[in-house]
Amino acid sequence: MWQPNKPSQNENEYFARQDEEWKRARRSQLDAERTAKKEHPAMACPRCGGNLIERTVANAVIDVCDKCRGVWLDTGELDLLAHISPGQMQFLLRSLKDEE
């Protein structure tokens, strides 16, 4: 009996699992690097000198300035943000705008 959806469904599940595993591993690696680099609890904004506040979005940890609302990403964070859904990205952008 021919089942047209079965192989592609298995492939989708496989790639979704692979993607989740990659995001978990990358998040763990970035957290370890961030912990190793942290010398000062409050980092200064490169643009205005304000305090950078960490925010977790999906699997990424972004830094948001409390004064100029600048958003700063560590190495590899953009790769993680590229894997969030368009709805999550819109929510993130709206929440950053609403904090002004």
Side-chain angles (χ1 to χ4, degrees):
M1 177 189 276
W2 183 62
Q3 297 176 347
N5 293 333
K6 184 111 173 116
S8 64
Q9 181 180 2
N10 289 340
E11 287 177 17
N12 290 339
E13 290 172 5
Y14 170 79
F15 286 114
R17 254 192 329 271
Q18 292 292 96
D19 196 39
E20 286 301 315
E21 289 174 15
W22 176 85
K23 287 190 278 187
R24 274 194 296 276
R26 187 67 176 141
R27 174 75 268 141
S28 177
Q29 179 186 11
L30 291 174
D31 286 344
E33 290 173 7
R34 182 181 282 251
T35 301
K37 285 182 185 178
K38 270 197 177 172
E39 297 175 6
H40 306 288
M43 296 185 302
C45 175
R47 182 201 237 166
C48 72
N51 291 323
L52 293 180
I53 300 165
E54 289 182 356
R55 251 182 102 176
T56 302
V57 178
N59 287 315
V61 178
I62 63 174
D63 299 309
V64 181
C65 178
D66 63 352
K67 291 185 181 174
C68 71
R69 308 307 311 155
V71 176
W72 303 95
L73 304 173
D74 294 333
T75 303
E77 298 291 345
L78 187 58
D79 293 335
L80 291 172
L81 288 176
H83 286 84
I84 68 174
S85 70
Q88 286 177 310
M89 183 60 77
Q90 287 178 352
F91 178 77
L92 167 64
L93 296 174
R94 277 193 206 111
S95 69
L96 292 172
K97 182 178 180 257
D98 292 341
E99 289 180 0
E100 293 182 25

